[in-house]
Amino acid sequence: MKAGMFDRRHFLGGAGLLAAGGLLTSGCSRIDPRPVPKGGRVRVAGATSSVADTIDPAHQMAVMDYIRCNMFYDGLVRLDEHQRPQMALAEALDSPDGRVWTAKVRKGVRFHDGTLLTPADVVYSLRRHLDPAVGSTARTFMAQFETIEALGEDGLRITLTGPNADLPVILGMQQFKIIRDQTRDFRTANGTGPFRCTEFTPGVRSISTRFENYWRGPVRVGEVELFAISDESARINALMSHDVDLIGEVNPRMARRLTESGFNLLESKSGGYTDLVMRLDQRPGRSPSFVEGMKLLMDREAMRQVIFRGYATIGNDQPIPPTNPYFNPHLAQRPFDPDKAAFLFRKAGLAGSRIPLVVSSAALHSEDMGMLVQDAAGKAGIAIDIQRRPPDGYWAHSWMKDPVGFGNINGRPTADIIFTQFYASNAAWNESGWHNPRFDRMLIEARGSTDEDLRRSIYGEMQAMVHRESGVGIPLFLSVLDAYNPRIKGLVPRPQGGMMGYDFASSIWVEEA
């Protein structure tokens, strides 16, 4: 088996932006006293930020983290526009059986502090995910790693507990970026990526400058300033007034206005989704009838047209999108059926109940989706009490903790990765607390098989199990919309997510006036 060619709150004073009544103050238009760097300066506004922002690859779990870490670090492999792994810091990655893998570490690569990359850096970067004290968001995957060891000056051997043909894809995940051996301080970044970290203040902003000694050759942009404007109107206005060059997470309702005003729109069709999450270990989610009834309250076509203006694909309460080769097309579509939901709520003893439903702008469009569910619930004999939470701290304090709420999951490149991260019994991000030992066994069986027909059959049955049993309702797979000034060139959609799979900075350039 050869893989050699797998290929949170408002941004404030730091950038002079203040959201006031949905508009930006004039502070956004201040003249930057610094000289414009060679290649130009690009200002980018995301939607959410918080003091939990990180540039530790092991802690990444949000869009802004992914963008920064893609600028500062590289992995052994990178995923291309088709989500296939291509070699990066590894020159080759091979295995005779899918269990024992050897990698050749690329020579001549330098960290930002000038030191040369060695196998010891790779071993340290991977092994630290095993340490509970690190708190890695990818620790679930490390249960598959039996040993990780250096081989000579440029070799590496990874031995798994069982065969996994998808290891090269796993190593291309965001969290598996390579840091320097023994790095523990992440107030700044010392990676091998295309940009140096000039400034990083969690919840405020980062400034990244081009790394002239980048092993692939210098990128074309000189500097990227990244921050968040959580207020949607303020974010749109910042772009339209030319105070920022690129914005993320554009509401589909604003798409036409932006294009008619001369700005470009980037649509990335992904496997990402905003999902309704019902904790199965809390009331009322302990009742299977309640859980099924809530899934029946989602009018998927209305959500697609009214909220997303067609920029979405109908989902079926399981996380594998139609674009995935293992998608199960034979699974009956769950309908919108308030009458049946009413029957199920009566069966659960919940008729006439008031159910809190937590929403937040941090979970894309969950507020609008919650209102449609609230309207349908009235027809089904229960009352939905929408409770809004601020984006700052939502993922730490509300997600996976509230009995009924919303999540927002970025697409993953393989069925194994998404099932491992979100549905295995030991998954750190098992949103609804669903446990099924048979599902866990099937996950391991599919992972170790090289029989594509068998894998397709197993993954198809696993999708049916999630659809039927889990506490997660997935109404749609979302297109991610970004908008940008036409002077920014090189932006193309990628299925990993918005802003070119969070890796726009290494590909774009600024057209001179």
PDB file of all heavy atoms in Angstrom, residues 386-405:
ATOM      1  N   ILE A 386     -36.952  28.849  22.834  1.00  0.00           N
ATOM      2  CA  ILE A 386     -35.631  29.129  22.261  1.00  0.00           C
ATOM      3  C   ILE A 386     -34.798  29.947  23.245  1.00  0.00           C
ATOM      4  O   ILE A 386     -35.215  31.009  23.703  1.00  0.00           O
ATOM      5  CB  ILE A 386     -35.762  29.855  20.916  1.00  0.00           C
ATOM      6  CG1 ILE A 386     -36.380  28.916  19.874  1.00  0.00           C
ATOM      7  CG2 ILE A 386     -34.397  30.359  20.440  1.00  0.00           C
ATOM      8  CD1 ILE A 386     -36.550  29.528  18.506  1.00  0.00           C
ATOM      9  N   GLN A 387     -33.629  29.433  23.564  1.00  0.00           N
ATOM     10  CA  GLN A 387     -32.707  30.094  24.487  1.00  0.00           C
ATOM     11  C   GLN A 387     -31.425  30.412  23.736  1.00  0.00           C
ATOM     12  O   GLN A 387     -30.709  29.510  23.304  1.00  0.00           O
ATOM     13  CB  GLN A 387     -32.436  29.195  25.695  1.00  0.00           C
ATOM     14  CG  GLN A 387     -33.689  28.874  26.494  1.00  0.00           C
ATOM     15  CD  GLN A 387     -33.403  28.075  27.755  1.00  0.00           C
ATOM     16  OE1 GLN A 387     -32.259  27.690  28.030  1.00  0.00           O
ATOM     17  NE2 GLN A 387     -34.434  27.836  28.543  1.00  0.00           N
ATOM     18  N   ARG A 388     -31.136  31.707  23.597  1.00  0.00           N
ATOM     19  CA  ARG A 388     -29.971  32.131  22.826  1.00  0.00           C
ATOM     20  C   ARG A 388     -28.744  32.253  23.721  1.00  0.00           C
ATOM     21  O   ARG A 388     -28.819  32.783  24.822  1.00  0.00           O
ATOM     22  CB  ARG A 388     -30.257  33.466  22.133  1.00  0.00           C
ATOM     23  CG  ARG A 388     -31.262  33.330  21.007  1.00  0.00           C
ATOM     24  CD  ARG A 388     -31.644  34.662  20.396  1.00  0.00           C
ATOM     25  NE  ARG A 388     -32.465  34.484  19.189  1.00  0.00           N
ATOM     26  CZ  ARG A 388     -33.763  34.243  19.214  1.00  0.00           C
ATOM     27  NH1 ARG A 388     -34.401  34.161  20.376  1.00  0.00           N
ATOM     28  NH2 ARG A 388     -34.425  34.072  18.091  1.00  0.00           N
ATOM     29  N   ARG A 389     -27.622  31.738  23.208  1.00  0.00           N
ATOM     30  CA  ARG A 389     -26.346  31.822  23.916  1.00  0.00           C
ATOM     31  C   ARG A 389     -25.373  32.642  23.064  1.00  0.00           C
ATOM     32  O   ARG A 389     -25.374  32.542  21.836  1.00  0.00           O
ATOM     33  CB  ARG A 389     -25.751  30.439  24.136  1.00  0.00           C
ATOM     34  CG  ARG A 389     -26.630  29.492  24.967  1.00  0.00           C
ATOM     35  CD  ARG A 389     -26.494  29.770  26.461  1.00  0.00           C
ATOM     36  NE  ARG A 389     -27.098  28.684  27.221  1.00  0.00           N
ATOM     37  CZ  ARG A 389     -28.371  28.615  27.590  1.00  0.00           C
ATOM     38  NH1 ARG A 389     -29.204  29.606  27.251  1.00  0.00           N
ATOM     39  NH2 ARG A 389     -28.825  27.595  28.291  1.00  0.00           N
ATOM     40  N   PRO A 390     -24.509  33.442  23.690  1.00  0.00           N
ATOM     41  CA  PRO A 390     -23.516  34.210  22.917  1.00  0.00           C
ATOM     42  C   PRO A 390     -22.490  33.273  22.299  1.00  0.00           C
ATOM     43  O   PRO A 390     -22.241  32.174  22.811  1.00  0.00           O
ATOM     44  CB  PRO A 390     -22.880  35.121  23.974  1.00  0.00           C
ATOM     45  CG  PRO A 390     -23.077  34.392  25.262  1.00  0.00           C
ATOM     46  CD  PRO A 390     -24.398  33.685  25.141  1.00  0.00           C
ATOM     47  N   PRO A 391     -21.889  33.689  21.181  1.00  0.00           N
ATOM     48  CA  PRO A 391     -20.890  32.819  20.534  1.00  0.00           C
ATOM     49  C   PRO A 391     -19.644  32.612  21.369  1.00  0.00           C
ATOM     50  O   PRO A 391     -19.015  31.562  21.305  1.00  0.00           O
ATOM     51  CB  PRO A 391     -20.572  33.564  19.226  1.00  0.00           C
ATOM     52  CG  PRO A 391     -20.944  34.986  19.485  1.00  0.00           C
ATOM     53  CD  PRO A 391     -22.119  34.933  20.422  1.00  0.00           C
ATOM     54  N   ASP A 392     -19.280  33.618  22.164  1.00  0.00           N
ATOM     55  CA  ASP A 392     -18.082  33.522  23.001  1.00  0.00           C
ATOM     56  C   ASP A 392     -18.302  32.444  24.059  1.00  0.00           C
ATOM     57  O   ASP A 392     -19.149  32.572  24.937  1.00  0.00           O
ATOM     58  CB  ASP A 392     -17.805  34.877  23.657  1.00  0.00           C
ATOM     59  CG  ASP A 392     -16.468  34.893  24.387  1.00  0.00           C
ATOM     60  OD1 ASP A 392     -15.729  33.904  24.300  1.00  0.00           O
ATOM     61  OD2 ASP A 392     -16.171  35.909  25.037  1.00  0.00           O
ATOM     62  N   GLY A 393     -17.548  31.376  23.966  1.00  0.00           N
ATOM     63  CA  GLY A 393     -17.640  30.310  24.947  1.00  0.00           C
ATOM     64  C   GLY A 393     -18.699  29.266  24.670  1.00  0.00           C
ATOM     65  O   GLY A 393     -18.879  28.338  25.471  1.00  0.00           O
ATOM     66  N   TYR A 394     -19.402  29.376  23.536  1.00  0.00           N
ATOM     67  CA  TYR A 394     -20.488  28.428  23.265  1.00  0.00           C
ATOM     68  C   TYR A 394     -19.981  26.996  23.194  1.00  0.00           C
ATOM     69  O   TYR A 394     -20.578  26.079  23.763  1.00  0.00           O
ATOM     70  CB  TYR A 394     -21.181  28.800  21.945  1.00  0.00           C
ATOM     71  CG  TYR A 394     -22.319  27.869  21.581  1.00  0.00           C
ATOM     72  CD1 TYR A 394     -23.547  27.963  22.227  1.00  0.00           C
ATOM     73  CD2 TYR A 394     -22.169  26.881  20.602  1.00  0.00           C
ATOM     74  CE1 TYR A 394     -24.594  27.106  21.903  1.00  0.00           C
ATOM     75  CE2 TYR A 394     -23.205  26.027  20.272  1.00  0.00           C
ATOM     76  CZ  TYR A 394     -24.413  26.148  20.926  1.00  0.00           C
ATOM     77  OH  TYR A 394     -25.443  25.292  20.618  1.00  0.00           O
ATOM     78  N   TRP A 395     -18.863  26.782  22.503  1.00  0.00           N
ATOM     79  CA  TRP A 395     -18.369  25.417  22.325  1.00  0.00           C
ATOM     80  C   TRP A 395     -17.858  24.835  23.630  1.00  0.00           C
ATOM     81  O   TRP A 395     -17.890  23.602  23.822  1.00  0.00           O
ATOM     82  CB  TRP A 395     -17.287  25.385  21.248  1.00  0.00           C
ATOM     83  CG  TRP A 395     -17.802  25.902  19.940  1.00  0.00           C
ATOM     84  CD1 TRP A 395     -17.400  27.024  19.280  1.00  0.00           C
ATOM     85  CD2 TRP A 395     -18.852  25.335  19.146  1.00  0.00           C
ATOM     86  NE1 TRP A 395     -18.122  27.193  18.128  1.00  0.00           N
ATOM     87  CE2 TRP A 395     -19.027  26.172  18.019  1.00  0.00           C
ATOM     88  CE3 TRP A 395     -19.663  24.214  19.280  1.00  0.00           C
ATOM     89  CZ2 TRP A 395     -19.976  25.911  17.030  1.00  0.00           C
ATOM     90  CZ3 TRP A 395     -20.609  23.945  18.297  1.00  0.00           C
ATOM     91  CH2 TRP A 395     -20.756  24.779  17.193  1.00  0.00           C
ATOM     92  N   ALA A 396     -17.392  25.669  24.521  1.00  0.00           N
ATOM     93  CA  ALA A 396     -16.878  25.167  25.801  1.00  0.00           C
ATOM     94  C   ALA A 396     -17.977  24.959  26.829  1.00  0.00           C
ATOM     95  O   ALA A 396     -17.902  24.037  27.649  1.00  0.00           O
ATOM     96  CB  ALA A 396     -15.820  26.133  26.350  1.00  0.00           C
ATOM     97  N   HIS A 397     -19.020  25.789  26.792  1.00  0.00           N
ATOM     98  CA  HIS A 397     -19.982  25.795  27.898  1.00  0.00           C
ATOM     99  C   HIS A 397     -21.383  25.295  27.548  1.00  0.00           C
ATOM    100  O   HIS A 397     -22.149  24.953  28.456  1.00  0.00           O
ATOM    101  CB  HIS A 397     -20.082  27.209  28.471  1.00  0.00           C
ATOM    102  CG  HIS A 397     -18.772  27.780  28.903  1.00  0.00           C
ATOM    103  ND1 HIS A 397     -17.967  27.172  29.847  1.00  0.00           N
ATOM    104  CD2 HIS A 397     -18.092  28.897  28.505  1.00  0.00           C
ATOM    105  CE1 HIS A 397     -16.866  27.889  30.023  1.00  0.00           C
ATOM    106  NE2 HIS A 397     -16.917  28.928  29.218  1.00  0.00           N
ATOM    107  N   SER A 398     -21.738  25.242  26.270  1.00  0.00           N
ATOM    108  CA  SER A 398     -23.094  24.825  25.900  1.00  0.00           C
ATOM    109  C   SER A 398     -23.120  23.560  25.041  1.00  0.00           C
ATOM    110  O   SER A 398     -23.898  22.646  25.295  1.00  0.00           O
ATOM    111  CB  SER A 398     -23.806  25.964  25.147  1.00  0.00           C
ATOM    112  OG  SER A 398     -24.069  27.050  26.001  1.00  0.00           O
ATOM    113  N   TRP A 399     -22.271  23.523  24.024  1.00  0.00           N
ATOM    114  CA  TRP A 399     -22.258  22.384  23.112  1.00  0.00           C
ATOM    115  C   TRP A 399     -21.966  21.087  23.853  1.00  0.00           C
ATOM    116  O   TRP A 399     -21.049  21.013  24.666  1.00  0.00           O
ATOM    117  CB  TRP A 399     -21.207  22.623  22.029  1.00  0.00           C
ATOM    118  CG  TRP A 399     -21.100  21.547  21.002  1.00  0.00           C
ATOM    119  CD1 TRP A 399     -22.100  21.039  20.235  1.00  0.00           C
ATOM    120  CD2 TRP A 399     -19.896  20.866  20.609  1.00  0.00           C
ATOM    121  NE1 TRP A 399     -21.600  20.079  19.377  1.00  0.00           N
ATOM    122  CE2 TRP A 399     -20.259  19.946  19.592  1.00  0.00           C
ATOM    123  CE3 TRP A 399     -18.566  20.943  21.016  1.00  0.00           C
ATOM    124  CZ2 TRP A 399     -19.314  19.122  18.972  1.00  0.00           C
ATOM    125  CZ3 TRP A 399     -17.629  20.127  20.400  1.00  0.00           C
ATOM    126  CH2 TRP A 399     -18.011  19.227  19.391  1.00  0.00           C
ATOM    127  N   MET A 400     -22.777  20.077  23.631  1.00  0.00           N
ATOM    128  CA  MET A 400     -22.685  18.760  24.249  1.00  0.00           C
ATOM    129  C   MET A 400     -23.009  18.772  25.747  1.00  0.00           C
ATOM    130  O   MET A 400     -22.826  17.771  26.422  1.00  0.00           O
ATOM    131  CB  MET A 400     -21.306  18.114  24.028  1.00  0.00           C
ATOM    132  CG  MET A 400     -20.937  17.896  22.581  1.00  0.00           C
ATOM    133  SD  MET A 400     -19.653  16.636  22.333  1.00  0.00           S
ATOM    134  CE  MET A 400     -18.355  17.250  23.392  1.00  0.00           C
ATOM    135  N   LYS A 401     -23.469  19.902  26.242  1.00  0.00           N
ATOM    136  CA  LYS A 401     -23.851  19.987  27.653  1.00  0.00           C
ATOM    137  C   LYS A 401     -25.345  20.255  27.823  1.00  0.00           C
ATOM    138  O   LYS A 401     -25.968  19.706  28.730  1.00  0.00           O
ATOM    139  CB  LYS A 401     -23.028  21.065  28.353  1.00  0.00           C
ATOM    140  CG  LYS A 401     -21.527  20.746  28.431  1.00  0.00           C
ATOM    141  CD  LYS A 401     -20.756  21.849  29.117  1.00  0.00           C
ATOM    142  CE  LYS A 401     -19.288  21.476  29.286  1.00  0.00           C
ATOM    143  NZ  LYS A 401     -18.595  21.261  28.005  1.00  0.00           N
ATOM    144  N   ASP A 402     -25.910  21.111  26.975  1.00  0.00           N
ATOM    145  CA  ASP A 402     -27.337  21.389  27.071  1.00  0.00           C
ATOM    146  C   ASP A 402     -28.140  20.182  26.587  1.00  0.00           C
ATOM    147  O   ASP A 402     -27.747  19.513  25.629  1.00  0.00           O
ATOM    148  CB  ASP A 402     -27.690  22.619  26.232  1.00  0.00           C
ATOM    149  CG  ASP A 402     -27.066  23.883  26.795  1.00  0.00           C
ATOM    150  OD1 ASP A 402     -27.261  24.173  27.975  1.00  0.00           O
ATOM    151  OD2 ASP A 402     -26.360  24.575  26.025  1.00  0.00           O
ATOM    152  N   PRO A 403     -29.286  19.905  27.202  1.00  0.00           N
ATOM    153  CA  PRO A 403     -30.076  18.731  26.801  1.00  0.00           C
ATOM    154  C   PRO A 403     -30.498  18.749  25.338  1.00  0.00           C
ATOM    155  O   PRO A 403     -30.473  17.719  24.671  1.00  0.00           O
ATOM    156  CB  PRO A 403     -31.286  18.787  27.744  1.00  0.00           C
ATOM    157  CG  PRO A 403     -30.810  19.544  28.937  1.00  0.00           C
ATOM    158  CD  PRO A 403     -29.841  20.565  28.403  1.00  0.00           C
ATOM    159  N   VAL A 404     -30.906  19.924  24.835  1.00  0.00           N
ATOM    160  CA  VAL A 404     -31.309  20.034  23.431  1.00  0.00           C
ATOM    161  C   VAL A 404     -30.715  21.329  22.874  1.00  0.00           C
ATOM    162  O   VAL A 404     -30.964  22.417  23.423  1.00  0.00           O
ATOM    163  CB  VAL A 404     -32.842  20.054  23.268  1.00  0.00           C
ATOM    164  CG1 VAL A 404     -33.213  20.040  21.785  1.00  0.00           C
ATOM    165  CG2 VAL A 404     -33.497  18.878  23.996  1.00  0.00           C
ATOM    166  N   GLY A 405     -29.936  21.210  21.828  1.00  0.00           N
ATOM    167  CA  GLY A 405     -29.297  22.396  21.247  1.00  0.00           C
ATOM    168  C   GLY A 405     -28.773  22.084  19.860  1.00  0.00           C
ATOM    169  O   GLY A 405     -29.206  21.127  19.207  1.00  0.00           O
TER     170      GLY A 405
END
